Amino acid sequence: MERTLSWLPDGSPYSAHYGDVYHARARALAQARTVFLGGCGLPMGWEDRASCRILETGFGLGLNFLVSWASWQADARRSTSLHFVSLEAHPVTADDLLQGVRTLQAGDAQEAVLLSRMQPLAEELARAWAQLRPGLQHWDFDDGRVRLSLGIGDVQAQLPLLPGPVDAVYLDGFNPARNPAMWSAEVIEGVARLCHPGTRLASWCVAGAVRQRLQQAGFEWRKQPGLPPKWQRLEARYLGPTGLRPGNAGA
Ligand SMILES: C[S@@+](CC[C@H](N)C(=O)[O-])C[C@H]1O[C@@H](n2cnc3c(N)ncnc32)[C@H](O)[C@@H]1O
């Protein structure tokens, strides 16, 4: 398992292998909350439910996991359980996980509260990280109410092993030009196989080829205003197996 992460002078985590940042330090929390949780209709989507299962492509520094877990914990109407399913080919170290949270910047008071909630969760995650091995593992946190299922290996090999159905999907590979394996038609189809009609999907990526693959796999999509420097972000919804759905609402 090759480690590809290095830290840029401004504190952003960077992969020289993929020529892209994991996240830009100053916007990381806003991106997780607006692009991924917000794009999937969360936290509202898990409120007053028995369970909520989120699938992510690209665990990276666990930022989306930690933001989801901390936001879930803070929500008085949270689902009884939260199951976060993610996959990663190049796991970072436990020190990198902790460094990732230490270097985050809160943009406002709400983010400052979120960040203070994330810190102890990151420490719990870093402790579990000692057991990390290739393949699929399941770790329970929060007295068993939060489960992380982590598939360590290539996305295409790991997807069929992951538990479904999922209620929300975060598509979070690196830039598709540099990291095409994370956005291939086979991967999008593998994601769709884990969805149920109504599953929400979100990404920072609005590339035409990705939108087309989503549509072919049974999703309708919409571009939404993005967070600077990106103009747009993507929200999508799974309608069902290809051929059993009405026309696409994408624009
Ligand atoms: C933008 S980062 C993900 C950031 C992460 N979601 C977070 O919240 O910290 C993209 C991740 O995809 C992983 N990745 C790239 N190619 C992959 C592949 N073929 N299979 C599995 N993971 C891959 C990278 O190692 C990297 O951790």
Side-chain angles (χ1 to χ4, degrees), residues 18 21-23 56 58-64 87-90 153-155 172-174 179 181-182:
Y18 292 106
V21 287
Y22 287 71
H23 56 249
E56 175 185 61
F59 188 75
L61 287 152
L63 175 65
N64 289 337
L87 51 87
E88 177 56 56
H90 314 284
D154 181 69
V155 57
D172 196 16
F174 287 124
N179 188 198
M182 285 292 260

mmCIF file with all atom_site columns, all heavy atoms in Angstrom, residues 18 21-23 56 58-64 87-90 153-155 172-174 179 181-182, ligand 1:
data_model
loop_
_atom_site.group_PDB
_atom_site.id
_atom_site.type_symbol
_atom_site.label_atom_id
_atom_site.label_alt_id
_atom_site.label_comp_id
_atom_site.label_asym_id
_atom_site.label_entity_id
_atom_site.label_seq_id
_atom_site.pdbx_PDB_ins_code
_atom_site.Cartn_x
_atom_site.Cartn_y
_atom_site.Cartn_z
_atom_site.occupancy
_atom_site.B_iso_or_equiv
_atom_site.pdbx_formal_charge
_atom_site.auth_seq_id
_atom_site.auth_comp_id
_atom_site.auth_asym_id
_atom_site.auth_atom_id
_atom_site.pdbx_PDB_model_num
ATOM   1   N N   . TYR A 1 18  ? -1.046  11.854 -7.637  1.00 0.00 ? 18  TYR A N   1
ATOM   2   C CA  . TYR A 1 18  ? -2.216  12.276 -8.423  1.00 0.00 ? 18  TYR A CA  1
ATOM   3   C C   . TYR A 1 18  ? -2.178  13.766 -8.785  1.00 0.00 ? 18  TYR A C   1
ATOM   4   O O   . TYR A 1 18  ? -3.072  14.245 -9.479  1.00 0.00 ? 18  TYR A O   1
ATOM   5   C CB  . TYR A 1 18  ? -3.511  11.951 -7.668  1.00 0.00 ? 18  TYR A CB  1
ATOM   6   C CG  . TYR A 1 18  ? -3.741  10.454 -7.555  1.00 0.00 ? 18  TYR A CG  1
ATOM   7   C CD1 . TYR A 1 18  ? -3.543  9.783  -6.354  1.00 0.00 ? 18  TYR A CD1 1
ATOM   8   C CD2 . TYR A 1 18  ? -4.138  9.719  -8.666  1.00 0.00 ? 18  TYR A CD2 1
ATOM   9   C CE1 . TYR A 1 18  ? -3.739  8.406  -6.258  1.00 0.00 ? 18  TYR A CE1 1
ATOM   10  C CE2 . TYR A 1 18  ? -4.329  8.342  -8.581  1.00 0.00 ? 18  TYR A CE2 1
ATOM   11  C CZ  . TYR A 1 18  ? -4.130  7.703  -7.374  1.00 0.00 ? 18  TYR A CZ  1
ATOM   12  O OH  . TYR A 1 18  ? -4.320  6.337  -7.296  1.00 0.00 ? 18  TYR A OH  1
ATOM   13  N N   . VAL A 1 21  ? -4.736  18.142 -4.463  1.00 0.00 ? 21  VAL A N   1
ATOM   14  C CA  . VAL A 1 21  ? -4.867  18.216 -3.002  1.00 0.00 ? 21  VAL A CA  1
ATOM   15  C C   . VAL A 1 21  ? -6.019  17.326 -2.536  1.00 0.00 ? 21  VAL A C   1
ATOM   16  O O   . VAL A 1 21  ? -7.007  17.149 -3.246  1.00 0.00 ? 21  VAL A O   1
ATOM   17  C CB  . VAL A 1 21  ? -5.121  19.662 -2.493  1.00 0.00 ? 21  VAL A CB  1
ATOM   18  C CG1 . VAL A 1 21  ? -3.855  20.499 -2.590  1.00 0.00 ? 21  VAL A CG1 1
ATOM   19  C CG2 . VAL A 1 21  ? -6.279  20.320 -3.221  1.00 0.00 ? 21  VAL A CG2 1
ATOM   20  N N   . TYR A 1 22  ? -5.894  16.762 -1.328  1.00 0.00 ? 22  TYR A N   1
ATOM   21  C CA  . TYR A 1 22  ? -7.000  16.021 -0.710  1.00 0.00 ? 22  TYR A CA  1
ATOM   22  C C   . TYR A 1 22  ? -8.140  17.000 -0.420  1.00 0.00 ? 22  TYR A C   1
ATOM   23  O O   . TYR A 1 22  ? -9.308  16.689 -0.603  1.00 0.00 ? 22  TYR A O   1
ATOM   24  C CB  . TYR A 1 22  ? -6.550  15.354 0.598   1.00 0.00 ? 22  TYR A CB  1
ATOM   25  C CG  . TYR A 1 22  ? -5.657  14.147 0.391   1.00 0.00 ? 22  TYR A CG  1
ATOM   26  C CD1 . TYR A 1 22  ? -4.346  14.281 -0.057  1.00 0.00 ? 22  TYR A CD1 1
ATOM   27  C CD2 . TYR A 1 22  ? -6.142  12.870 0.656   1.00 0.00 ? 22  TYR A CD2 1
ATOM   28  C CE1 . TYR A 1 22  ? -3.534  13.169 -0.235  1.00 0.00 ? 22  TYR A CE1 1
ATOM   29  C CE2 . TYR A 1 22  ? -5.328  11.744 0.480   1.00 0.00 ? 22  TYR A CE2 1
ATOM   30  C CZ  . TYR A 1 22  ? -4.038  11.911 0.037   1.00 0.00 ? 22  TYR A CZ  1
ATOM   31  O OH  . TYR A 1 22  ? -3.240  10.805 -0.151  1.00 0.00 ? 22  TYR A OH  1
ATOM   32  N N   . HIS A 1 23  ? -7.777  18.140 0.107   1.00 0.00 ? 23  HIS A N   1
ATOM   33  C CA  . HIS A 1 23  ? -8.707  19.250 0.288   1.00 0.00 ? 23  HIS A CA  1
ATOM   34  C C   . HIS A 1 23  ? -7.861  20.496 0.463   1.00 0.00 ? 23  HIS A C   1
ATOM   35  O O   . HIS A 1 23  ? -6.690  20.409 0.815   1.00 0.00 ? 23  HIS A O   1
ATOM   36  C CB  . HIS A 1 23  ? -9.635  19.036 1.503   1.00 0.00 ? 23  HIS A CB  1
ATOM   37  C CG  . HIS A 1 23  ? -8.916  18.806 2.793   1.00 0.00 ? 23  HIS A CG  1
ATOM   38  N ND1 . HIS A 1 23  ? -8.910  17.597 3.451   1.00 0.00 ? 23  HIS A ND1 1
ATOM   39  C CD2 . HIS A 1 23  ? -8.158  19.635 3.551   1.00 0.00 ? 23  HIS A CD2 1
ATOM   40  C CE1 . HIS A 1 23  ? -8.177  17.692 4.550   1.00 0.00 ? 23  HIS A CE1 1
ATOM   41  N NE2 . HIS A 1 23  ? -7.711  18.915 4.637   1.00 0.00 ? 23  HIS A NE2 1
ATOM   42  N N   . GLU A 1 56  ? -18.831 6.219  0.513   1.00 0.00 ? 56  GLU A N   1
ATOM   43  C CA  . GLU A 1 56  ? -17.890 7.216  0.000   1.00 0.00 ? 56  GLU A CA  1
ATOM   44  C C   . GLU A 1 56  ? -16.845 6.526  -0.868  1.00 0.00 ? 56  GLU A C   1
ATOM   45  O O   . GLU A 1 56  ? -16.317 5.478  -0.494  1.00 0.00 ? 56  GLU A O   1
ATOM   46  C CB  . GLU A 1 56  ? -17.197 7.920  1.165   1.00 0.00 ? 56  GLU A CB  1
ATOM   47  C CG  . GLU A 1 56  ? -16.114 8.890  0.720   1.00 0.00 ? 56  GLU A CG  1
ATOM   48  C CD  . GLU A 1 56  ? -15.367 9.481  1.895   1.00 0.00 ? 56  GLU A CD  1
ATOM   49  O OE1 . GLU A 1 56  ? -14.744 8.712  2.665   1.00 0.00 ? 56  GLU A OE1 1
ATOM   50  O OE2 . GLU A 1 56  ? -15.417 10.704 2.064   1.00 0.00 ? 56  GLU A OE2 1
ATOM   51  N N   . GLY A 1 58  ? -13.164 7.028  -1.754  1.00 0.00 ? 58  GLY A N   1
ATOM   52  C CA  . GLY A 1 58  ? -11.980 7.803  -1.374  1.00 0.00 ? 58  GLY A CA  1
ATOM   53  C C   . GLY A 1 58  ? -12.030 8.274  0.062   1.00 0.00 ? 58  GLY A C   1
ATOM   54  O O   . GLY A 1 58  ? -12.506 9.367  0.348   1.00 0.00 ? 58  GLY A O   1
ATOM   55  N N   . PHE A 1 59  ? -11.517 7.446  1.003   1.00 0.00 ? 59  PHE A N   1
ATOM   56  C CA  . PHE A 1 59  ? -11.577 7.801  2.432   1.00 0.00 ? 59  PHE A CA  1
ATOM   57  C C   . PHE A 1 59  ? -10.584 8.900  2.778   1.00 0.00 ? 59  PHE A C   1
ATOM   58  O O   . PHE A 1 59  ? -10.841 9.728  3.650   1.00 0.00 ? 59  PHE A O   1
ATOM   59  C CB  . PHE A 1 59  ? -11.305 6.565  3.298   1.00 0.00 ? 59  PHE A CB  1
ATOM   60  C CG  . PHE A 1 59  ? -11.536 6.793  4.761   1.00 0.00 ? 59  PHE A CG  1
ATOM   61  C CD1 . PHE A 1 59  ? -12.825 6.862  5.268   1.00 0.00 ? 59  PHE A CD1 1
ATOM   62  C CD2 . PHE A 1 59  ? -10.468 6.951  5.641   1.00 0.00 ? 59  PHE A CD2 1
ATOM   63  C CE1 . PHE A 1 59  ? -13.054 7.086  6.631   1.00 0.00 ? 59  PHE A CE1 1
ATOM   64  C CE2 . PHE A 1 59  ? -10.682 7.178  7.002   1.00 0.00 ? 59  PHE A CE2 1
ATOM   65  C CZ  . PHE A 1 59  ? -11.984 7.243  7.493   1.00 0.00 ? 59  PHE A CZ  1
ATOM   66  N N   . GLY A 1 60  ? -9.422  8.892  2.092   1.00 0.00 ? 60  GLY A N   1
ATOM   67  C CA  . GLY A 1 60  ? -8.420  9.950  2.289   1.00 0.00 ? 60  GLY A CA  1
ATOM   68  C C   . GLY A 1 60  ? -8.054  10.133 3.744   1.00 0.00 ? 60  GLY A C   1
ATOM   69  O O   . GLY A 1 60  ? -7.651  9.209  4.447   1.00 0.00 ? 60  GLY A O   1
ATOM   70  N N   . LEU A 1 61  ? -8.242  11.357 4.242   1.00 0.00 ? 61  LEU A N   1
ATOM   71  C CA  . LEU A 1 61  ? -7.920  11.699 5.636   1.00 0.00 ? 61  LEU A CA  1
ATOM   72  C C   . LEU A 1 61  ? -9.113  11.513 6.550   1.00 0.00 ? 61  LEU A C   1
ATOM   73  O O   . LEU A 1 61  ? -9.083  11.955 7.710   1.00 0.00 ? 61  LEU A O   1
ATOM   74  C CB  . LEU A 1 61  ? -7.420  13.141 5.701   1.00 0.00 ? 61  LEU A CB  1
ATOM   75  C CG  . LEU A 1 61  ? -6.016  13.285 5.120   1.00 0.00 ? 61  LEU A CG  1
ATOM   76  C CD1 . LEU A 1 61  ? -5.809  14.667 4.556   1.00 0.00 ? 61  LEU A CD1 1
ATOM   77  C CD2 . LEU A 1 61  ? -4.972  12.968 6.177   1.00 0.00 ? 61  LEU A CD2 1
ATOM   78  N N   . GLY A 1 62  ? -10.179 10.929 6.033   1.00 0.00 ? 62  GLY A N   1
ATOM   79  C CA  . GLY A 1 62  ? -11.349 10.670 6.875   1.00 0.00 ? 62  GLY A CA  1
ATOM   80  C C   . GLY A 1 62  ? -12.120 11.926 7.220   1.00 0.00 ? 62  GLY A C   1
ATOM   81  O O   . GLY A 1 62  ? -12.976 11.905 8.114   1.00 0.00 ? 62  GLY A O   1
ATOM   82  N N   . LEU A 1 63  ? -11.862 12.997 6.501   1.00 0.00 ? 63  LEU A N   1
ATOM   83  C CA  . LEU A 1 63  ? -12.517 14.264 6.849   1.00 0.00 ? 63  LEU A CA  1
ATOM   84  C C   . LEU A 1 63  ? -14.043 14.167 6.695   1.00 0.00 ? 63  LEU A C   1
ATOM   85  O O   . LEU A 1 63  ? -14.791 14.576 7.591   1.00 0.00 ? 63  LEU A O   1
ATOM   86  C CB  . LEU A 1 63  ? -11.953 15.378 5.954   1.00 0.00 ? 63  LEU A CB  1
ATOM   87  C CG  . LEU A 1 63  ? -12.625 16.723 6.114   1.00 0.00 ? 63  LEU A CG  1
ATOM   88  C CD1 . LEU A 1 63  ? -12.379 17.290 7.501   1.00 0.00 ? 63  LEU A CD1 1
ATOM   89  C CD2 . LEU A 1 63  ? -12.122 17.691 5.057   1.00 0.00 ? 63  LEU A CD2 1
ATOM   90  N N   . ASN A 1 64  ? -14.497 13.632 5.571   1.00 0.00 ? 64  ASN A N   1
ATOM   91  C CA  . ASN A 1 64  ? -15.954 13.525 5.374   1.00 0.00 ? 64  ASN A CA  1
ATOM   92  C C   . ASN A 1 64  ? -16.577 12.593 6.419   1.00 0.00 ? 64  ASN A C   1
ATOM   93  O O   . ASN A 1 64  ? -17.698 12.814 6.871   1.00 0.00 ? 64  ASN A O   1
ATOM   94  C CB  . ASN A 1 64  ? -16.285 13.006 3.968   1.00 0.00 ? 64  ASN A CB  1
ATOM   95  C CG  . ASN A 1 64  ? -15.992 14.032 2.897   1.00 0.00 ? 64  ASN A CG  1
ATOM   96  O OD1 . ASN A 1 64  ? -15.952 15.231 3.174   1.00 0.00 ? 64  ASN A OD1 1
ATOM   97  N ND2 . ASN A 1 64  ? -15.779 13.562 1.675   1.00 0.00 ? 64  ASN A ND2 1
ATOM   98  N N   . LEU A 1 87  ? -13.946 3.478  0.817   1.00 0.00 ? 87  LEU A N   1
ATOM   99  C CA  . LEU A 1 87  ? -12.852 2.654  0.290   1.00 0.00 ? 87  LEU A CA  1
ATOM   100 C C   . LEU A 1 87  ? -11.662 3.537  -0.042  1.00 0.00 ? 87  LEU A C   1
ATOM   101 O O   . LEU A 1 87  ? -11.805 4.728  -0.314  1.00 0.00 ? 87  LEU A O   1
ATOM   102 C CB  . LEU A 1 87  ? -13.320 1.857  -0.921  1.00 0.00 ? 87  LEU A CB  1
ATOM   103 C CG  . LEU A 1 87  ? -14.008 2.628  -2.022  1.00 0.00 ? 87  LEU A CG  1
ATOM   104 C CD1 . LEU A 1 87  ? -13.001 3.177  -2.979  1.00 0.00 ? 87  LEU A CD1 1
ATOM   105 C CD2 . LEU A 1 87  ? -14.990 1.721  -2.730  1.00 0.00 ? 87  LEU A CD2 1
ATOM   106 N N   . GLU A 1 88  ? -10.505 2.914  0.000   1.00 0.00 ? 88  GLU A N   1
ATOM   107 C CA  . GLU A 1 88  ? -9.270  3.690  -0.129  1.00 0.00 ? 88  GLU A CA  1
ATOM   108 C C   . GLU A 1 88  ? -8.125  2.786  -0.598  1.00 0.00 ? 88  GLU A C   1
ATOM   109 O O   . GLU A 1 88  ? -7.888  1.738  0.007   1.00 0.00 ? 88  GLU A O   1
ATOM   110 C CB  . GLU A 1 88  ? -8.932  4.314  1.242   1.00 0.00 ? 88  GLU A CB  1
ATOM   111 C CG  . GLU A 1 88  ? -7.634  5.085  1.282   1.00 0.00 ? 88  GLU A CG  1
ATOM   112 C CD  . GLU A 1 88  ? -7.570  6.186  0.235   1.00 0.00 ? 88  GLU A CD  1
ATOM   113 O OE1 . GLU A 1 88  ? -8.454  7.053  0.217   1.00 0.00 ? 88  GLU A OE1 1
ATOM   114 O OE2 . GLU A 1 88  ? -6.635  6.168  -0.587  1.00 0.00 ? 88  GLU A OE2 1
ATOM   115 N N   . ALA A 1 89  ? -7.430  3.220  -1.661  1.00 0.00 ? 89  ALA A N   1
ATOM   116 C CA  . ALA A 1 89  ? -6.311  2.412  -2.167  1.00 0.00 ? 89  ALA A CA  1
ATOM   117 C C   . ALA A 1 89  ? -4.985  2.753  -1.499  1.00 0.00 ? 89  ALA A C   1
ATOM   118 O O   . ALA A 1 89  ? -4.078  1.930  -1.471  1.00 0.00 ? 89  ALA A O   1
ATOM   119 C CB  . ALA A 1 89  ? -6.168  2.608  -3.674  1.00 0.00 ? 89  ALA A CB  1
ATOM   120 N N   . HIS A 1 90  ? -4.846  3.981  -1.021  1.00 0.00 ? 90  HIS A N   1
ATOM   121 C CA  . HIS A 1 90  ? -3.556  4.435  -0.487  1.00 0.00 ? 90  HIS A CA  1
ATOM   122 C C   . HIS A 1 90  ? -3.764  5.011  0.911   1.00 0.00 ? 90  HIS A C   1
ATOM   123 O O   . HIS A 1 90  ? -3.770  6.236  1.087   1.00 0.00 ? 90  HIS A O   1
ATOM   124 C CB  . HIS A 1 90  ? -2.956  5.535  -1.373  1.00 0.00 ? 90  HIS A CB  1
ATOM   125 C CG  . HIS A 1 90  ? -3.008  5.230  -2.835  1.00 0.00 ? 90  HIS A CG  1
ATOM   126 N ND1 . HIS A 1 90  ? -2.161  4.340  -3.447  1.00 0.00 ? 90  HIS A ND1 1
ATOM   127 C CD2 . HIS A 1 90  ? -3.817  5.698  -3.815  1.00 0.00 ? 90  HIS A CD2 1
ATOM   128 C CE1 . HIS A 1 90  ? -2.441  4.271  -4.737  1.00 0.00 ? 90  HIS A CE1 1
ATOM   129 N NE2 . HIS A 1 90  ? -3.440  5.088  -4.990  1.00 0.00 ? 90  HIS A NE2 1
ATOM   130 N N   . GLY A 1 153 ? -8.086  -1.042 -0.720  1.00 0.00 ? 153 GLY A N   1
ATOM   131 C CA  . GLY A 1 153 ? -7.714  -1.643 -1.992  1.00 0.00 ? 153 GLY A CA  1
ATOM   132 C C   . GLY A 1 153 ? -8.281  -0.786 -3.110  1.00 0.00 ? 153 GLY A C   1
ATOM   133 O O   . GLY A 1 153 ? -8.889  0.254  -2.857  1.00 0.00 ? 153 GLY A O   1
ATOM   134 N N   . ASP A 1 154 ? -8.107  -1.248 -4.338  1.00 0.00 ? 154 ASP A N   1
ATOM   135 C CA  . ASP A 1 154 ? -8.584  -0.460 -5.475  1.00 0.00 ? 154 ASP A CA  1
ATOM   136 C C   . ASP A 1 154 ? -10.108 -0.383 -5.489  1.00 0.00 ? 154 ASP A C   1
ATOM   137 O O   . ASP A 1 154 ? -10.795 -1.366 -5.195  1.00 0.00 ? 154 ASP A O   1
ATOM   138 C CB  . ASP A 1 154 ? -8.077  -1.060 -6.785  1.00 0.00 ? 154 ASP A CB  1
ATOM   139 C CG  . ASP A 1 154 ? -8.549  -0.236 -7.966  1.00 0.00 ? 154 ASP A CG  1
ATOM   140 O OD1 . ASP A 1 154 ? -8.071  0.907  -8.103  1.00 0.00 ? 154 ASP A OD1 1
ATOM   141 O OD2 . ASP A 1 154 ? -9.435  -0.694 -8.703  1.00 0.00 ? 154 ASP A OD2 1
ATOM   142 N N   . VAL A 1 155 ? -10.620 0.772  -5.877  1.00 0.00 ? 155 VAL A N   1
ATOM   143 C CA  . VAL A 1 155 ? -12.062 1.029  -5.858  1.00 0.00 ? 155 VAL A CA  1
ATOM   144 C C   . VAL A 1 155 ? -12.860 -0.065 -6.578  1.00 0.00 ? 155 VAL A C   1
ATOM   145 O O   . VAL A 1 155 ? -13.871 -0.543 -6.051  1.00 0.00 ? 155 VAL A O   1
ATOM   146 C CB  . VAL A 1 155 ? -12.353 2.442  -6.453  1.00 0.00 ? 155 VAL A CB  1
ATOM   147 C CG1 . VAL A 1 155 ? -11.819 2.604  -7.875  1.00 0.00 ? 155 VAL A CG1 1
ATOM   148 C CG2 . VAL A 1 155 ? -13.814 2.781  -6.410  1.00 0.00 ? 155 VAL A CG2 1
ATOM   149 N N   . ASP A 1 172 ? -15.765 11.159 -4.135  1.00 0.00 ? 172 ASP A N   1
ATOM   150 C CA  . ASP A 1 172 ? -14.682 12.070 -3.756  1.00 0.00 ? 172 ASP A CA  1
ATOM   151 C C   . ASP A 1 172 ? -13.310 11.556 -4.166  1.00 0.00 ? 172 ASP A C   1
ATOM   152 O O   . ASP A 1 172 ? -12.381 11.512 -3.354  1.00 0.00 ? 172 ASP A O   1
ATOM   153 C CB  . ASP A 1 172 ? -14.736 12.359 -2.241  1.00 0.00 ? 172 ASP A CB  1
ATOM   154 C CG  . ASP A 1 172 ? -13.907 13.575 -1.853  1.00 0.00 ? 172 ASP A CG  1
ATOM   155 O OD1 . ASP A 1 172 ? -13.554 14.356 -2.748  1.00 0.00 ? 172 ASP A OD1 1
ATOM   156 O OD2 . ASP A 1 172 ? -13.625 13.744 -0.664  1.00 0.00 ? 172 ASP A OD2 1
ATOM   157 N N   . GLY A 1 173 ? -13.175 11.174 -5.443  1.00 0.00 ? 173 GLY A N   1
ATOM   158 C CA  . GLY A 1 173 ? -11.835 10.878 -5.956  1.00 0.00 ? 173 GLY A CA  1
ATOM   159 C C   . GLY A 1 173 ? -11.090 12.173 -6.225  1.00 0.00 ? 173 GLY A C   1
ATOM   160 O O   . GLY A 1 173 ? -11.633 13.272 -6.080  1.00 0.00 ? 173 GLY A O   1
ATOM   161 N N   . PHE A 1 174 ? -9.828  12.036 -6.622  1.00 0.00 ? 174 PHE A N   1
ATOM   162 C CA  . PHE A 1 174 ? -9.091  13.212 -7.089  1.00 0.00 ? 174 PHE A CA  1
ATOM   163 C C   . PHE A 1 174 ? -9.636  13.611 -8.460  1.00 0.00 ? 174 PHE A C   1
ATOM   164 O O   . PHE A 1 174 ? -10.484 12.905 -9.048  1.00 0.00 ? 174 PHE A O   1
ATOM   165 C CB  . PHE A 1 174 ? -7.596  12.880 -7.193  1.00 0.00 ? 174 PHE A CB  1
ATOM   166 C CG  . PHE A 1 174 ? -6.898  12.756 -5.855  1.00 0.00 ? 174 PHE A CG  1
ATOM   167 C CD1 . PHE A 1 174 ? -6.214  11.597 -5.512  1.00 0.00 ? 174 PHE A CD1 1
ATOM   168 C CD2 . PHE A 1 174 ? -6.909  13.812 -4.950  1.00 0.00 ? 174 PHE A CD2 1
ATOM   169 C CE1 . PHE A 1 174 ? -5.559  11.482 -4.292  1.00 0.00 ? 174 PHE A CE1 1
ATOM   170 C CE2 . PHE A 1 174 ? -6.257  13.699 -3.715  1.00 0.00 ? 174 PHE A CE2 1
ATOM   171 C CZ  . PHE A 1 174 ? -5.589  12.542 -3.396  1.00 0.00 ? 174 PHE A CZ  1
ATOM   172 N N   . ASN A 1 179 ? -7.036  11.025 -12.090 1.00 0.00 ? 179 ASN A N   1
ATOM   173 C CA  . ASN A 1 179 ? -7.433  9.860  -11.283 1.00 0.00 ? 179 ASN A CA  1
ATOM   174 C C   . ASN A 1 179 ? -8.652  9.190  -11.928 1.00 0.00 ? 179 ASN A C   1
ATOM   175 O O   . ASN A 1 179 ? -9.683  8.984  -11.284 1.00 0.00 ? 179 ASN A O   1
ATOM   176 C CB  . ASN A 1 179 ? -7.748  10.355 -9.861  1.00 0.00 ? 179 ASN A CB  1
ATOM   177 C CG  . ASN A 1 179 ? -7.992  9.292  -8.824  1.00 0.00 ? 179 ASN A CG  1
ATOM   178 O OD1 . ASN A 1 179 ? -8.555  9.576  -7.769  1.00 0.00 ? 179 ASN A OD1 1
ATOM   179 N ND2 . ASN A 1 179 ? -7.584  8.060  -9.078  1.00 0.00 ? 179 ASN A ND2 1
ATOM   180 N N   . ALA A 1 181 ? -9.495  6.254  -12.676 1.00 0.00 ? 181 ALA A N   1
ATOM   181 C CA  . ALA A 1 181 ? -10.014 4.988  -12.138 1.00 0.00 ? 181 ALA A CA  1
ATOM   182 C C   . ALA A 1 181 ? -11.158 5.211  -11.153 1.00 0.00 ? 181 ALA A C   1
ATOM   183 O O   . ALA A 1 181 ? -12.012 4.339  -10.987 1.00 0.00 ? 181 ALA A O   1
ATOM   184 C CB  . ALA A 1 181 ? -8.885  4.219  -11.451 1.00 0.00 ? 181 ALA A CB  1
ATOM   185 N N   . MET A 1 182 ? -11.193 6.378  -10.489 1.00 0.00 ? 182 MET A N   1
ATOM   186 C CA  . MET A 1 182 ? -12.227 6.633  -9.476  1.00 0.00 ? 182 MET A CA  1
ATOM   187 C C   . MET A 1 182 ? -13.562 7.057  -10.083 1.00 0.00 ? 182 MET A C   1
ATOM   188 O O   . MET A 1 182 ? -14.568 7.118  -9.376  1.00 0.00 ? 182 MET A O   1
ATOM   189 C CB  . MET A 1 182 ? -11.760 7.719  -8.497  1.00 0.00 ? 182 MET A CB  1
ATOM   190 C CG  . MET A 1 182 ? -10.728 7.246  -7.515  1.00 0.00 ? 182 MET A CG  1
ATOM   191 S SD  . MET A 1 182 ? -11.417 6.054  -6.353  1.00 0.00 ? 182 MET A SD  1
ATOM   192 C CE  . MET A 1 182 ? -11.708 7.098  -4.928  1.00 0.00 ? 182 MET A CE  1
HETATM 193 C C1  . LIG B 2 .   ? -9.888  13.716 -2.626  1.00 0.00 ? 1   LIG B C1  1
HETATM 194 S S1  . LIG B 2 .   ? -9.193  12.381 -1.748  1.00 0.00 ? 1   LIG B S1  1
HETATM 195 C C2  . LIG B 2 .   ? -10.517 11.905 -0.650  1.00 0.00 ? 1   LIG B C2  1
HETATM 196 C C3  . LIG B 2 .   ? -10.688 12.799 0.533   1.00 0.00 ? 1   LIG B C3  1
HETATM 197 C C4  . LIG B 2 .   ? -11.568 12.160 1.599   1.00 0.00 ? 1   LIG B C4  1
HETATM 198 N N1  . LIG B 2 .   ? -12.907 11.915 1.135   1.00 0.00 ? 1   LIG B N1  1
HETATM 199 C C5  . LIG B 2 .   ? -11.611 12.906 2.912   1.00 0.00 ? 1   LIG B C5  1
HETATM 200 O O1  . LIG B 2 .   ? -12.699 13.250 3.374   1.00 0.00 ? 1   LIG B O1  1
HETATM 201 O O2  . LIG B 2 .   ? -10.547 13.125 3.504   1.00 0.00 ? 1   LIG B O2  1
HETATM 202 C C6  . LIG B 2 .   ? -9.309  11.052 -2.927  1.00 0.00 ? 1   LIG B C6  1
HETATM 203 C C7  . LIG B 2 .   ? -8.913  9.710  -2.353  1.00 0.00 ? 1   LIG B C7  1
HETATM 204 O O3  . LIG B 2 .   ? -9.122  8.692  -3.342  1.00 0.00 ? 1   LIG B O3  1
HETATM 205 C C8  . LIG B 2 .   ? -8.106  7.712  -3.190  1.00 0.00 ? 1   LIG B C8  1
HETATM 206 N N2  . LIG B 2 .   ? -7.967  6.942  -4.451  1.00 0.00 ? 1   LIG B N2  1
HETATM 207 C C9  . LIG B 2 .   ? -7.431  7.356  -5.620  1.00 0.00 ? 1   LIG B C9  1
HETATM 208 N N3  . LIG B 2 .   ? -7.483  6.378  -6.557  1.00 0.00 ? 1   LIG B N3  1
HETATM 209 C C10 . LIG B 2 .   ? -8.081  5.319  -5.968  1.00 0.00 ? 1   LIG B C10 1
HETATM 210 C C11 . LIG B 2 .   ? -8.431  4.020  -6.412  1.00 0.00 ? 1   LIG B C11 1
HETATM 211 N N4  . LIG B 2 .   ? -8.172  3.599  -7.668  1.00 0.00 ? 1   LIG B N4  1
HETATM 212 N N5  . LIG B 2 .   ? -9.058  3.175  -5.552  1.00 0.00 ? 1   LIG B N5  1
HETATM 213 C C12 . LIG B 2 .   ? -9.332  3.585  -4.269  1.00 0.00 ? 1   LIG B C12 1
HETATM 214 N N6  . LIG B 2 .   ? -9.013  4.817  -3.787  1.00 0.00 ? 1   LIG B N6  1
HETATM 215 C C13 . LIG B 2 .   ? -8.390  5.670  -4.612  1.00 0.00 ? 1   LIG B C13 1
HETATM 216 C C14 . LIG B 2 .   ? -6.880  8.544  -2.890  1.00 0.00 ? 1   LIG B C14 1
HETATM 217 O O4  . LIG B 2 .   ? -5.836  7.787  -2.297  1.00 0.00 ? 1   LIG B O4  1
HETATM 218 C C15 . LIG B 2 .   ? -7.447  9.632  -1.970  1.00 0.00 ? 1   LIG B C15 1
HETATM 219 O O5  . LIG B 2 .   ? -7.327  9.266  -0.614  1.00 0.00 ? 1   LIG B O5  1
#
